[in-house]
Amino acid sequence: MTDTAAPADPDAVLARYHARREQAVTAPQGNLALVNTQWITGDPASEQPVWGVPGLWSPLPAGESGLKVTAVATDNIFVDDVLVDGSAIVRGKDDPNPSAVRFSETVSGFVIASEQGDYALRVWDAQSDDIQRFGSIDAFPFNPEWIITATFTPIEGGRTVGFEHLKDDGATRDMVIPGEITFTKDGVDYNLAAFKAGRALQLVFADSTNGESTYSVGRFLFVVPNDDGTVTLDFNLAVLPPCAFSYNFNCPLPPAQNRFAVPIAAGEKNVLAKDGSLLH
């Protein structure tokens, strides 16, 4: 009988975590599979091609979720498992019942929404060039120095912080910060901003390793406050943002208060190709 119990020592636990991460980014709709994000805007009567896939795509009237696709049967586009021969509505991810699109056995898609109410088609290829070239996610060895117990202080009603995004030309998007994360390390006081990401909080941070031994844009850490008013910041679990894997993502950038002047030698570092070089 095979023992499938979780490993007890930190190095083995971290190795299993990294193995799961590499499986996730190479999945059919993992980060490395994203080959296009194309925004479809303008007059709903217009029809636009999307790079890499068949069909013509058009926006819907304001207030309606998703896009319209027009295609013939030989285009082999399936929306919610129904072959498109004419036109079909592809509901966005902001709809309670979003649509799934299939172009082939390996190419799929779905529609995302912006805060402004625009919609884009995302195209995923389970056999993308990046998946074929991928070698590993380089990471630091386990570092107990960067497991920190911080204080989480809820903010009634939350506080709005503007986050820049990689492709937004300096514009900011308001994100609600539900509480303050504070701690002191090596005589320096920190007050970090983390926004809601499902049931967790997403900390977007930078440190002095960025552009040297780690990805230049920064990294993410997902945390959950404890019932006792603390939050554990285990930077060994820090991950690369999706934009480190595909240029078709638009990632949030670390706000000023989340920029560490010191190196955080823990967590993921860079995406590597099979030959050990940087994938991007």
Side-chain angles (χ1 to χ4, degrees):
M1 182 176 177
T2 302
D3 182 8
T4 58
D9 67 283
D11 291 321
V13 170
L14 193 58
R16 178 172 288 189
Y17 176 76
H18 287 314
R20 290 199 301 265
R21 275 280 295 160
E22 292 186 352
Q23 289 175 349
V25 300
T26 55
Q29 289 190 346
N31 291 343
L32 286 166
L34 184 64
V35 294
N36 193 11
T37 299
Q38 187 164 326
W39 293 94
I40 308 296
T41 59
D43 187 343
S46 66
E47 294 182 328
Q48 306 170 38
V50 169
W51 178 85
V53 296
L56 293 173
W57 301 77
S58 54
L60 297 177
E64 296 185 27
S65 171
L67 298 171
K68 183 176 78 171
V69 58
T70 301
V72 296
T74 53
D75 286 329
N76 203 40
I77 300 174
F78 288 80
V79 175
D80 299 324
D81 293 324
V82 177
L83 178 65
V84 178
D85 188 8
S87 63
I89 301 301
V90 183
R91 296 180 301 276
K93 283 290 187 179
D94 58 342
D95 188 276
N97 185 28
S99 294
V101 186
R102 185 173 78 251
F103 299 100
S104 71
E105 290 185 0
T106 62
V107 180
S108 61
F110 56 68
V111 170
I112 60 170
S114 72
E115 295 176 352
Q116 294 74 33
D118 294 326
Y119 291 87
L121 177 68
R122 276 195 160 159
V123 180
W124 311 80
D125 184 352
Q127 295 182 352
S128 70
D129 289 344
D130 281 344
I131 289 178
Q132 303 304 313
R133 295 174 54 220
F134 175 70
S136 65
I137 301 174
D138 191 22
F140 290 102
F142 176 72
N143 186 350
E145 178 186 350
W146 283 102
I147 302 177
I148 296 167
T149 299
T151 299
F152 180 75
T153 306
I155 300 171
E156 186 175 355
R159 182 178 74 245
T160 300
V161 173
F163 280 75
E164 291 186 38
H165 281 62
L166 190 60
K167 297 182 178 180
D168 287 359
D169 298 323
T172 60
R173 305 186 193 184
D174 289 342
M175 312 290 284
V176 176
I177 308 302
E180 294 182 336
I181 297 175
T182 55
F183 65 93
T184 300
K185 180 171 172 56
D186 299 329
V188 178
D189 294 331
Y190 295 93
N191 186 336
L192 306 180
F195 55 83
K196 288 284 290 181
R199 291 179 292 179
L201 299 178
Q202 181 174 344
L203 177 66
V204 182
F205 72 94
D207 67 279
S208 65
T209 69
N210 296 158
E212 300 292 335
S213 59
T214 65
Y215 180 59
S216 60
V217 173
R219 294 181 284 168
F220 293 172
L221 182 64
F222 295 90
V223 299
V224 178
N226 303 312
D227 293 337
D228 63 0
T230 64
V231 61
T232 301
L233 306 177
D234 185 350
F235 286 93
N236 294 285
L237 305 181
V239 298
L240 295 170
C243 51
F245 299 87
S246 171
Y247 298 123
N248 292 287
F249 287 105
N250 186 14
C251 291
L253 301 177
Q257 68 195 86
N258 291 1
R259 296 179 179 270
F260 293 77
V262 298
I264 299 181
E268 295 181 352
K269 300 167 69 175
N270 286 294
V271 187
L272 302 183
K274 284 184 171 69
D275 64 2
S277 64
L278 294 178
L279 188 63
H280 290 146

